[in-house]
Amino acid sequence: MAAIRSTGNKDTELALIRILRTHRLVGWRRHLPLAGRPDFVFRKQRVVVFVDGCFWHHCPKHGRHPGSNQAYWSHKIARNKARDREVMKTLKNAGWRALRIWEHELSRGDAVAQRIGKLLIEEQPVLRRK
């Protein structure tokens, strides 16, 4: 399994693009060089969106551990979850608001669009200078 390389999350990103376009959510760009390489970035509102795969990020609803090579996969998924937490903390400290969407949530496009839209219209908090 370690020899199998990721091919990206193109299908999930395309599904979110369809949702964003259907609900006329504009102003996004893809893959800007920010911490964690967010899938979608709304620069003006300082909002980033990640689309997490249920397997790779261990979704509470669909996450599962493979039966073979359990030690490897447990460690791999734990590292992914720890990295996700660190990326969210880094982005928050830099003044970005981040949203993580599970792969299985994309089937409910209206709810996803509503979550993103709500975050986009929220007032951006004022950054405190140290």
Side-chain angles (χ1 to χ4, degrees), residues 11 23 26 44-45 49 67-68 83 86 89 104 106 110:
D11 292 339
H23 294 276
V26 297
K44 183 178 177 186
Q45 297 90 348
V49 178
S68 63
R83 185 184 62 238
E86 186 61 33
K89 182 178 163 184
H104 71 267
L106 294 174
D110 293 341

Side-chain angles (χ1 to χ4, degrees), residues 33-116:
L34 293 170
R37 297 282 306 188
D39 297 311
F40 295 87
V41 179
F42 294 85
R43 288 185 291 193
K44 183 178 177 186
Q45 297 90 348
R46 295 191 59 84
V47 170
V48 297
V49 178
F50 294 92
V51 183
D52 291 339
C54 292
F55 174 78
W56 295 105
H57 299 269
H58 205 260
C59 153
K61 187 173 183 179
H62 297 106
R64 63 174 184 79
H65 290 284
S68 63
N69 207 359
Q70 290 182 352
Y72 170 80
W73 286 109
S74 294
H75 181 65
K76 169 76 172 159
I77 291 170
R79 279 193 337 248
N80 288 350
K81 291 171 72 172
R83 185 184 62 238
D84 292 345
R85 285 189 299 273
E86 186 61 33
V87 164
M88 294 293 274
K89 182 178 163 184
T90 301
L91 289 168
K92 183 178 180 181
N93 289 340
W96 290 88
R97 291 174 292 158
L99 176 64
R100 289 196 173 271
I101 298 171
W102 289 110
E103 175 184 14
H104 71 267
E105 292 178 313
L106 294 174
S107 62
R108 300 181 328 205
D110 293 341
V112 169
Q114 192 172 30
R115 283 178 61 198
I116 295 171

